[in-house]
Amino acid sequence: MKFNGENIAKYALMTVAFSAVASLLLIAVFIFKEGLPFMMKVGLKDFLFASDWDPLAGKFGIYPMIVASLWVTFGAMLIGAPLGIAGAIFLNEFAPPMMMKIIKPTIELLAGIPSVVFGFLGVMVLAPWIRATLGGPGLSVLAASIILGIMVLPTVLSISIDAIASVPNSYREGALALGATRWQSVYMVTIKAARSGIIASIILAMGRALGETMAVIMVAGNTVKVPHAVTDPVRTLTANIALEMANATGMAREALFATGIVLFMVIMVLNGIALSAIKGKARKK
Amino acid sequence: MIQASPAKITIRALRVFHGQEESLRGISLDIPANQVLGIIGPSGAGKTTFLRALNRLNDLVPDMHAEGQILLDGKDIYHPACDVVALRKRVGMLFALPVALPMSIYENVVYGPRLSGVRKKTHLDEVVERSLKAAFLWDEVKDRLRMSGLRLSGGQQQRLCLARVLAMEELEVILLDEPCSGLDPISTSKIEDALTILKERYTIILVTNNTKQAARVADETAFFLMGDMVEYGLTEKIFTVPDDKRTNDYVTGRFG
Ligand SMILES: Nc1ncnc2c1ncn2[C@@H]1O[C@H](COP(=O)(O)OP(=O)(O)O)[C@@H](O)[C@H]1O
Ligand SMILES: [Mg+2]
């Protein structure tokens, strides 16, 4: 083997690539090593489906947090997905090209706003408004859903825009030549053809909403209780880890790692679905 | 010499511009009903632009505008009161690249009728069978109508597109833009056979890059060159004793 410049560059890059993969794997292994034994000890049923979380008293039920995460994520999608998809359709199919040139980068800029700023807006503006108009403490499922719904907009919008833009123009013309109106060609042909990309955008956004922590801690209220109304305060899985880790030792510490495993699994499954949706599209072509 | 009945489509001084460029330089032509008009000419001659003017698909192209008149049954299709959607249901089009829509064979065929509000299953079934038979595709797909149209071969997809056009109840004119350019010989001859039968009901305009195809199928032929219509007449005459030397050069293959 010769040590010329090319070889050195090749091995240097290989080392970097390996350490990137290795560090990710190590993190996953570490989380499982810390959390799995705990799950065995407490029992999966008492961990996932019990409603009492009181580490000091040895109670480790994360059911309220699971429900909270699902509510908040679902709520965020209820707001972010229709807005994002409708926006993508409008920008691609109906808006003048100028508008796309201005709005798309603007929305993508939204993705760069730190989540603490979104959280701050939520605390200062949204929560007081909810408290005043709908009652409850203001910090709530609803507040978290709205803030997260806005935070995932760039994801939904930019991936959906790409999916719709990649529908061949000949599909549109084919439909229009058959006497479809602009709108009929959009919902009977364009959306159908872009379907898998749009689904992928929603699932990736779900993963983002589920994993978001800082903004959620600030606006969700953090009470460990199964919610009954959208104005109830809740604590999500991510918030639970962040809030408890400072003084967690022993079993409590392991419980947080186990919570991490639950999050990890859910997000893996979501990403898997997103990937297969994208691949499904590639296969059909 | 050409026709006694009034023209189905009357075109007067049609000029089409792409930005500054004049792609059609004043075409005037009377297209009679119930026959096949062949349009031949080298690529870039304006054949596609001409066809797309007839169903106003050119409207979608930014920076493009048309001047002159196109009358369908005596009515100006560029008149502000003309309903473009209704026009496109009367003037169907087949593209060079077959575009089966991303749905089943059955749904592809009933797409037009569904747009017009036809819901009755028995009626739609009938339309599917009639149209696929007229497009000479029925025998190949009758057992798999629920399969995605995208999984058919190119030649089958083109015939599916023809069936889709034929399924439209309001259809009067069929525009074909080099419909056989990428097809196998069997599909090509099936489409040609279909056209010679279909002209009894419809007015057909066939753009083709294959002069032999025009000679086989067209009753009359027009030769386009660089945005002008050089010559127009009975197919037989165009291919044997054309008036213009350029036409003669093109049909005999002595042309760049
Ligand atoms: N979308 C378009 N934008 C700009 N110019 C175009 C467009 N479509 C066609 N043209 C121009 O119009 C002329 C005729 O093209 P076309 O009608 O496609 O010819 P043909 O179908 O005979 O090959 C060509 O010079 C081409 O450059
Ligand atoms: Mg062409």
Side-chain angles (χ1 to χ4, degrees), chain B residues 74 76 79 131 149 173 237:
Chain B
D76 185 358
H79 191 278
S131 312
V173 179
K237 174 168 185 291

Side-chain angles (χ1 to χ4, degrees), chain B residues 43 49 54 86 109 124 136 156:
Chain B
S43 102
T49 306
L54 298 180
V109 179
L124 291 176
F136 287 169
Q156 289 172 324

Side-chain angles (χ1 to χ4, degrees), chain B residues 4 6 98 168 184:
Chain B
M168 294 193 289
D184 57 285

Side-chain angles (χ1 to χ4, degrees), chain A residues 170 173 175-179, chain B residues 52 60 85 88-89 99 111 164:
Chain A
S170 53
E173 290 194 339
L176 291 170
L178 289 168
Chain B
R52 290 167 55 103
L60 304 168
V85 168
R88 293 191 187 129
K89 287 178 178 161
V99 272
Y111 186 83
R164 202 168 66 190

Side-chain angles (χ1 to χ4, degrees), chain A residues 72-73 75-77 79-81 83-84 106-122 126 142-158 201-202 204-219 238:
Chain A
V72 167
T73 304
M77 296 329 294
I79 292 162
L83 277 182
T106 310
I107 296 273
E108 278 164 1
L109 223 61
L110 265 183
I113 299 177
S115 53
V116 68
V117 175
F118 281 103
F120 187 62
L121 269 175
L126 190 57
L142 183 62
S145 295
I146 293 174
I147 291 295
L148 282 176
I150 296 169
M151 287 177 71
V152 300
L153 259 185
T155 309
V156 179
L157 205 86
S158 64
S201 82
I202 294 175
L204 289 175
M206 270 171 88
R208 237 203 114 196
L210 195 65
E212 174 54 40
T213 311
M214 176 53 79
V216 174
I217 289 181
M218 293 171 77
V219 299
T238 51

Side-chain angles (χ1 to χ4, degrees), chain A residues 172-174 176-177, chain B residues 51-61 78 84 88 93 95:
Chain A
R172 292 183 187 92
E173 290 194 339
L176 291 170
Chain B
L51 274 195
R52 290 167 55 103
L54 298 180
N55 65 352
R56 292 189 56 180
L57 215 49
N58 277 337
D59 290 11
L60 304 168
V61 182
Y78 281 88
V84 182
R88 293 191 187 129
M93 180 159 187
F95 300 88

Side-chain angles (χ1 to χ4, degrees), chain B residues 42-49 52 96 177-178 207:
Chain B
S43 102
K47 308 181 296 295
T48 299
T49 306
R52 290 167 55 103
D177 189 1
E178 306 189 0
V207 166

